[in-house]
Amino acid sequence: MKPVKNFFDSIRPHFEKGGRFSRLYPFYEAIESIFYGPDHVTRQGPHVRDSLDVKRFMTIVILALIPHLIFGIYNTGYQAHLAAGLPLDFFPVFTLGLWVVMPMVLVTYAVGFFWESLFAVIRKHHISEGLFVTCMLFPLTLPPTTPLWQVAVGISFGVVIGKEIFGGTGRNFLNPALTGRAFIFFAYPAQMSGDKVWTATIYNNNAAVDAVSGATPLAIATLTEAPERIEQVLVDSGYSFSQMFWGLYPGSIGSTSAFLCLVGAFILIILGIASYRIILGGVLGVLMTGWLLNLLAGGSSLAWLTLNPFYHLVMGGLAFGLAYMATDPVSAPDMENAKWIYGFLIGVLTVLIRVFNPAFPEGIMLAILFMNLFAPFLDYFAVKTVCKKRIPNV
Amino acid sequence: MNLIRVRKGYNIKIGGQPSEELLSISRPGKVAVVPERIPFIKPRLKVKQGDAVQIGSLLFEDKRRPFLKFLSPGGGTVADIDIGHRRVIKKIVIRLDPDERAVDFGFLSESDLVAISRRDLVAKILEGGLWSLLRALPSRDIAPRDAEPPAIFVALDDLEPFQPDPSVYLQDQEPLFLFGLKVLRKLSSRVEVFARQATAGVLKKLNGHITGQVAGRYPADDPGVLLYAIRRSSTENQTWYIRGQDVLLLAHLLKHGNYPTRRTMVVGGNAAQKTGHVHARLGMPLAAFRPFAADGMNTRWISGGVFQGYPTGPDSYMGLYETAITLIPEGLHREFLSFVRPGFNKPSYSRTFLSWFNSSQLPYDSNFHGGLRACIACGHCAKVCPVDILPQLTFKAVLAEAVEEYLALGLMDCVECGLCSYVCPSKIELSSILTAARREYHQEQSQT
């Protein structure tokens, strides 16, 4: 490790105060701190500090997302091969997936890091590791057919408008990855919705996709009419509950597997990174709303109303959103009791959007963004009740 | 005796707990007072270099409250007055004579103490220079002379790593301590003595006098935390407090009529090669503790405990309120790939390191273990704050100068324990920001 250390020791003076590139110090710090922790020492009490830093905090989230990335790569290749009628051997499938997904990930990181560095250098901030999580989340929420230029536009909007103009990480009230996702969802609907975008096509073989139908479970559910039951129609289309739970179906790159979301959420909760209140609140919100709708179903023609509430949890991106997006601590409320309400309402809204708004087959993105806006409001009342209990000391 | 349970707080797993062994240390050639570490005072010097002083001679007084006198802890000559940046008096050093003389303040017998009026007693303590041992919540300023407090809390223990053990400093001192309690009862009709459960079990002679047992993690036995835990109305907010060992100083002054010089101190910390309690003097030069520091190691010297102490070095002296020297390693090294290590040995409040399963003592040093970042609302600070002030919101209110808001959040209840800064993954100096705002607010209040 000596050469690495020597390398940084030799170039550090150029980036420090008075050095030739001192303006680029945030950029330098971001790179160096990946290899070596800082040598800063405390100057006042407390003289010792916790070993946890933001870098580790965010790295853990990224590590939890890696299985999603790998599975997403496999699933993308798998669905493309399935649609094209090609054999489903692991290596060609995975290679194809890599070929489709990795450019999107790389473009996201390159563009995101560019904006973050630019703002950090101008503002003389450090580069916050939250960016790396944002850049990992963003491509995982996209359809595999998204053009790379749209990926770049989306992450730019997410990072700049969703975060930087409010002062950077820690001051953003919206989840930046979702902001970018929502932007391209509304700006380029042709590439973001419909049945054809969820399966990567290669070899210019569009016809094959039509033959298999690339419709996602959510799209199928929306088209189902009572008295047909969504569960049955899904099975007829080849989507059983267990298949949706494991995640091998067309959808956003990394968010199809409820199983991986469960594992990831479990890890993040155990390690104290994600709030179990938000996740449990969300699950409760989904199940209770789904169950209430079951009661209301009656003779309605809306097949959604009779859907077993547990199906909501495994279809589409709900599990992914609840586990990784809703739990973003910056855009969630600070107060513990507000987190319950926040999570719960995300669950409720997601189901309501899915059921009652045929224009948006997926509701989790809008539900989280909407509740992001309400997080300060929830906090306001939660803080007020806490302050009321305190015996004043002024 | 009621049991007070404090739910929040946190104990770090640092090594170097001082043994109960009482070590002796040779008589120093010099002692000093360190005015810059006495909060809320502006010293006005009353001596100059070369003046002869006795134990108990006036060295300086507070400009704003001239009745607050600070006396010499030794007899000899004023050898040096160290004036630093912006004319801050850093220290006043006294070279000790071989036979020190002491100013006689006149002693009080038990019956005198019963007879003396509160007013005269206050005047006597002020004259003897020890009024500054009485501190007033919530600001922690020196107690106001003219007010009668709703209560006086005596804190025997201090869970901060590391502070003297009451069973050591009270050894054979119980009668003096009880005398001190009588003095305090003269000052306030309600005197509460708090000790940890373990301590209360050991101090059998004081059993009838300990009014509250404390259970909890650091800083459960801090007077501010205890007040927060037991107060019923805002009339109790101005409670005074005094540390257990300071009761002995106060009692000594009144019982023997001279200025006390004895301090029981601890030397501890994971960079100390030898730990223990030490019979030292007020204003002891820290150089005397050099043998305790491990050789060949870059060591951080702390006057006081790990959380609230001041960075210092062997060329400095003990301050009036300080009863500990804590030695920890300086963390000047850069650690390779520090953020992805499993960290079986890395101390953390969070559960993100394998050290969660490691119950043994862990290596602590003065490194920040991370770069300064924006607050990411992880909420760790709110989980450890013993007085529930939501530091992550309060510090933002302080930086935004939203006075109403930070007062409503409970800034003045802050006990300055430093836990919020300790746990912060963004390495924000929460505790210092809150403490500075508290002091500023108090100073504005006391000037009007």
Side-chain angles (χ1 to χ4, degrees), chain B residues 32 80 113-116 127 158 194 230 264 285 306 343 354 384 424 433:
Chain B
D80 183 26
L113 184 60
V114 177
I116 195 170
E127 191 60 34
D158 192 334
F194 296 104
I230 62 176
T264 305
V306 167
L354 284 181
V384 289
C424 182
I433 293 170

Side-chain angles (χ1 to χ4, degrees), chain A residues 99-147:
Chain A
W99 190 245
V100 175
V101 174
M102 283 324 281
M104 297 169 72
V105 174
L106 293 176
V107 165
T108 310
Y109 268 94
V111 175
F113 193 67
F114 163 75
W115 286 114
E116 179 83 15
S117 304
L118 183 70
F119 277 87
V121 165
I122 291 173
R123 288 217 184 94
K124 300 182 175 68
H125 274 182
H126 291 298
I127 290 174
S128 181
E129 290 78 6
L131 171 85
F132 302 117
V133 175
T134 302
C135 289
M136 180 55 92
L137 283 171
F138 180 72
L140 294 182
T141 63
L142 296 176
T145 55
T146 313

Side-chain angles (χ1 to χ4, degrees), chain B residues 297-435:
Chain B
M297 201 166 153
N298 199 344
T299 303
R300 163 76 56 98
W301 288 60
I302 305 166
S303 258
V306 167
F307 285 102
Q308 301 179 43
Y310 297 87
T312 182
D315 53 344
S316 186
Y317 294 82
M318 291 305 294
L320 177 62
Y321 298 110
E322 288 144 30
T323 50
I325 289 289
T326 311
L327 304 165
I328 60 168
E330 277 295 7
L332 284 167
H333 57 282
R334 292 175 185 272
E335 195 181 8
F336 186 64
L337 293 181
S338 58
F339 70 109
V340 286
R341 297 192 172 211
F344 190 68
N345 255 332
K346 285 173 151 254
S348 179
Y349 166 77
S350 70
R351 300 190 291 260
T352 56
F353 293 88
L354 284 181
S355 62
W356 186 249
F357 302 105
N358 188 349
S359 58
S360 53
Q361 290 167 346
L362 300 174
Y364 285 81
D365 60 29
S366 66
N367 194 290
F368 268 108
H369 302 293
L372 178 68
R373 296 290 184 267
C375 171
I376 53 164
C378 66
H380 287 177
C381 50
K383 282 186 196 139
V384 289
C385 179
V387 290
D388 303 315
I389 58 169
L390 301 170
Q392 82 274 37
L393 300 179
T394 312
F395 101 95
K396 287 175 192 165
V398 167
L399 295 183
E401 294 178 30
V403 182
E404 301 271 308
E405 195 180 329
Y406 63 65
L407 292 178
L409 284 164
L411 177 75
M412 292 315 282
D413 286 334
C414 169
V415 297
E416 304 174 14
C417 66
L419 277 179
C420 45
S421 299
Y422 171 76
V423 297
C424 182
S426 297
K427 313 297 169 188
I428 299 168
E429 296 281 3
L430 291 155
S431 183
S432 321
I433 293 170
L434 300 186
T435 303

